[in-house]
Amino acid sequence: MTKNTSTRIESVLIETRVFAPDATASAGARIASMAAYDALCKEAADDFDGFWARQAKANVTWTKPFTRTLDESNAPFYKWFDDGELNASANCLDKHIGTPVENKTAIIFEADDGAVTKVTYKELLARVSQFANALKAEGIRKGDRVIIYMPMTIEGVIAMQACARIGATHSVVFGGFSAKALQERIIDAGAVAVITANYQLRGGKELPLKAIVDDGIALGGCESIKSVLVYQRTATACAMVAGRDKTFAEVLQGQPSECPPVPVGAEHPLFILYTSGSTGKPKGVQHATGGYLLWAKLTMDWTFDVRPEDVFWCTADIGWITGHTYVAYGPLAAGATQVVFEGIPTFPHAGRFWQMIEKHKVTIFYTAPTAIRSLIKAADSDEKVHPKNWNLSTLRILGAVGEPINPEAWMWYHRNIGAEKCPIVDTFWQTETGGHVITPLPGATPLVPGSCTLPLPGIMAAIVDETGKDIPNGAGGMLVIKRPWPSMIRTIWNDPERFKKSYFPEEMGGTIYLAGDGAVRSADRGYFRITGRIDDVLNVSGHRLGTMEIESALVAKTDLVAEAAVVGRPDDVTGEAVCAFVVLKRGRPASDEEARKIATELRNWVAKEIGPIAKPKDIRFGENLPKTRSGKIMRRLLRSLAKGEAITQDTSTLENPAILEQLGRAH
Ligand code: PRX
């Protein structure tokens, strides 16, 4: 499980700056003071079930009310509100009909080329319903799994909502994943259909999606797929397989724009989202409908304190959990107006985000530290893309997600984007948690740069040692959540044993959720600071990558690679970078030029096997890897080598010390 805890937890960072929310942030906020926050925490501690039952009644529209709040009889397979029924899409769309929200803009879509399209809630409901009817006409039913491999578009959100409307379980695959990654997910999920687009537009480039679906299916084992539905994003034609493939225009033809939402049990799987773990095979994180939806809505209210006049913008792709909870579900459940952006932050210039904030009068902006760091770099080197060139005065709350935000980047965000007035909510959470779990509240929490501060009410987060014993403030340990919460992962699709083993260690009693991150609480305030993963998962640009997944991809290049080990190293912009140590079958490259050529070949190979995000930044070649006499790879040494650190660790158990020198060199 967590053998390398002690080596991965950094020493306690001393950050003394504190930024208390000013009166404008607190005024009218749902949780407007620490006293109000404490009162909610106390309510949850004193009457756990009652607290959650009240929240679920107040925030979710149930077609059949639940009578049971939490069922722990088969822990850690917890069930929430399980005799209740609801529909997630009805909770995002239908519930606004007949209210002032119905004619409000639901989505402001800005395309890669800057073109803007808007849809109201009423229009979105009609389009989701029509597409849901098209899915039904394809024979897709409640409980079927549907893969969505779509660009960031209104149609992507519609595809997800339409699945939810008919009770089909969606599994969105990020558009940057490869044909092989797609095939593995299709097979594991046993999907009956793929919803995709002919191409996606990113940074002025037209990139194929449908062709990758075809390649994925052609890899074999995807017989469960009966239809492939293709959104024509661009005018360019793509190959279509007769009988299996249809365009959106074809399937929507003649479909009515009303479709009754199918009520499902609260525990019905709303979606499966694959994410990296410590083994080679991605985990299908399964989320339930009721608890997930409750938390998507409630965290919009608590963390973002979203108000009717807000324009919310979460820059995450729908292929990631952030795009699920804070694009496809949360903002709609909260009746907010949101921006959906197809493109990338650096096209046509690195001021695009700031320009869009001005253009759409964005009030709440939520992005990843990596994006902030890369835009800092861009602004430093080119005045023209500095945020000062745009009017950002509409902003009132900023957010960060996906990786630790370093205090320098926090301060830049605070000064240059937030004009020193906007609270920054540094939200800690995971694919598995469904929504925020540790985060500041904009109207209440005094902020400390680099700290995600305190758990939300009802989230019993703690820091413990290997046996589950609490660790005092000021010392590092493992982040856990001691009680279940409604939006937690329910199981790993097809692999309940792996679910138990990965998240509920026996040594801690088998019912406590282990997040997989190291953390430390500050001695003075008890604030949490995440120190990074304690397993073999890397976080590159806020994207989760398994080291074993990349190793498996490298050794699958059987003509070249004999052995490979992958570790992370710190990177100024991407947080962590992938560093691969490779033993070639033919021995070490004879020249730098040959090393570069092979490294390029291996990078392209990894992009093909997993996706471009997994490409190693550094590749080093050696005759062997550092191993103990029993043959175990000494990863801690590789981590030091990757960082360019002098080796101070004990190398006495090392079988072959000479190769450290080889692997320490760039090539
Ligand atoms: O290591 C933590 C980091 O991202 C991991 C979860 O990745 P994923 O499931 O892809 O979800 C990302 C978006 C929620 C965590 O285990 N992480 C996420 N948010 C933060 C963070 N690390 C530090 N601070 C955060 N705010």
Side-chain angles (χ1 to χ4, degrees), residues 275 320-322 400-405 426-432 438 452 515-517 530 532-533 539 542-544:
T275 190
W320 310 113
I321 190 67
T322 310
V401 57
E403 47 180 328
I405 179 162
D426 175 3
T427 60
F428 169 82
W429 59 297
Q430 309 173 296
T431 305
E432 293 87 342
I438 308 181
C452 53
D517 280 289
I530 307 299
R533 298 288 307 192
N539 193 326
H543 299 148
R544 233 165 110 167

